[in-house]
Amino acid sequence: MIWFTEHWTENVGFSVKVNWAKRVKSPYQEIVILDTVEFGKMLVLDGLVQTTERDEFIYHEMLAHPPMVLHKNPERVLVIGGGDGGTVREILQHPSVKEVHLCEIDEMVIQVSREYLPSISSQLDNPKVKIFIQDGSKFLEERQNYYDVIIMDSSDPVGASQVLFSSEFYTKVKNSLREGGIMVAQTESPILQEEYFKNAYREISKVFKNVGVYLAYIPTYPSGMWSFTVASNDVNIRDTGKNVGRVKELKTKYFCDSIYNCLFALPKFVQQILNK
Ligand code: SPD
């Protein structure tokens, strides 16, 4: 039996017992699938846990459903990153959706997820889904004023992903949204990655008028406390009373109407980080 440790900081690690590991190298990163004893199969990119069979529902539901429900009628949706397919699977639960574009730079993440994570990648062949193997930034430049919802399902802001956390990038996201459009991004841990979290909020706030942060509890992500930042220029995202009936139609295990009703309730220390 072997152990895998993700180094959450220089001083903190998260370890899981592993039955076996499969490792491949893509042109972009090292992709590892671990068969863990406690969390089922785990996808790890360059040493950082992306998703596990056991707790992926929390991240994917909380990333996809709040912006989808806040939008009055989401038809065209874009996911940037998210090659494992979990976010796409959740988006397709919304009956108004006509097309989902998945823009993933690393084709091998999709291949590995199809092979080892079938419950997560299950909807990638849905006829509403079109996959683009491309850099997200260039992709957005080619599609102005098109999407209702854009979801940033990126890996952590290190290396190539760093650009996805800048106001230049969020400006491209804004330009690709049509009227009434909403974007959401995963924005790291307020506890262990306070600087990244604060910075992402600041950069998004430079570009969008209405910005809100919400949290979810994801055991395999650094500290367990994870943040998402949702934004729009012309939708009052704070009005979670609207469309709440649609939440009940979803098949979910974490997201529910009581979470949606108080989506932006934040612990005091998180509010203080954002107001600094
Ligand atoms: N440190 C974990 C951050 C992972 C964010 N992206 C996960 C992709 C899962 N679809």
Side-chain angles (χ1 to χ4, degrees):
M1 205 65 90
I2 47 171
W3 285 81
F4 162 77
T5 299
E6 176 182 329
H7 297 278
W8 281 355
T9 71
E10 273 174 28
N11 309 311
V12 187
F14 168 68
S15 298
V16 284
K17 213 186 243 187
V18 171
N19 294 316
W20 54 258
K22 164 89 187 163
R23 183 174 288 109
V24 289
K25 189 102 180 79
S26 81
Y28 298 96
Q29 55 206 339
E30 182 192 59
I31 304 172
V32 174
I33 290 285
L34 301 175
D35 182 35
T36 72
V37 175
E38 207 58 56
F39 288 97
K41 306 273 189 323
M42 177 182 266
L43 173 66
V44 181
L45 300 180
D46 281 342
L48 302 174
V49 176
Q50 299 302 308
T51 199
T52 82
E53 285 178 318
R54 182 158 175 196
D55 69 353
E56 59 87 10
F57 67 95
I58 308 173
Y59 175 84
H60 291 124
E61 288 179 14
M62 288 302 286
L63 181 63
H65 296 310
M68 292 297 289
V69 176
L70 283 166
H71 194 283
K72 67 176 192 302
N73 186 40
E75 293 181 342
R76 301 170 180 171
V77 185
L78 169 64
V79 180
I80 297 183
D84 54 75
T87 303
V88 166
R89 182 196 64 203
E90 294 305 316
I91 290 165
L92 287 165
Q93 285 207 50
H94 295 260
S96 60
V97 170
K98 294 196 170 133
E99 56 179 345
V100 184
H101 290 173
L102 174 68
C103 178
E104 164 64 61
I105 197 165
D106 192 343
E107 190 168 20
M108 283 176 76
V109 171
I110 299 176
Q111 286 165 4
V112 166
S113 302
R114 283 186 194 278
E115 187 171 351
Y116 293 97
L117 303 169
S119 62
I120 301 177
S121 59
S122 59
Q123 291 300 313
L124 286 175
D125 292 321
N126 186 299
K128 290 182 182 174
V129 178
K130 197 159 174 207
I131 297 174
F132 300 83
I133 305 301
Q134 210 178 319
D135 169 77
S137 198
K138 291 209 183 79
F139 183 85
L140 287 170
E141 283 167 17
E142 291 158 14
R143 283 164 189 85
Q144 307 272 302
N145 196 26
Y146 189 80
Y147 295 104
D148 297 312
V149 175
I150 297 180
I151 299 182
M152 301 296 312
D153 188 2
S154 58
S155 46
D156 304 276
V158 283
S161 295
Q162 233 166 333
V163 65
L164 306 182
F165 288 72
S166 66
S167 60
E168 289 73 25
F169 181 78
Y170 296 125
T171 302
K172 292 182 188 176
V173 171
K174 182 188 76 180
N175 293 339
S176 295
L177 287 169
R178 61 176 167 171
E179 203 188 325
I182 298 179
M183 72 130 250
V184 71
Q186 75 83 5
T187 46
E188 307 286 301
S189 164
I191 294 186
L192 287 181
Q193 293 142 337
E194 181 179 330
E195 278 309 307
Y196 285 134
F197 166 62
K198 203 169 57 182
N199 187 51
Y201 178 75
R202 195 178 50 223
E203 296 295 289
I204 293 171
S205 302
K206 284 182 191 165
V207 175
F208 289 93
K209 288 194 194 112
N210 308 316
V211 183
V213 168
Y214 59 91
L215 303 175
Y217 301 90
I218 305 170
T220 57
Y221 284 5
S223 84
M225 178 187 269
W226 207 250
S227 74
F228 304 85
T229 303
V230 62
S232 176
N233 266 335
D234 47 12
V235 175
N236 175 10
I237 53 165
R238 303 263 157 197
D239 184 8
T240 53
K242 71 183 169 196
N243 311 335
V244 66
R246 279 167 34 206
V247 177
K248 285 198 167 47
E249 309 299 317
L250 300 167
K251 286 200 181 77
T252 54
K253 290 191 280 181
Y254 189 96
F255 184 63
C256 56
D257 49 359
S258 56
I259 286 186
Y260 184 62
N261 283 331
C262 58
L263 190 65
F264 299 110
L266 293 176
K268 204 163 168 182
F269 82 92
V270 178
Q271 296 177 33
Q272 283 165 350
I273 293 172
L274 297 176
N275 292 331
K276 262 188 218 165

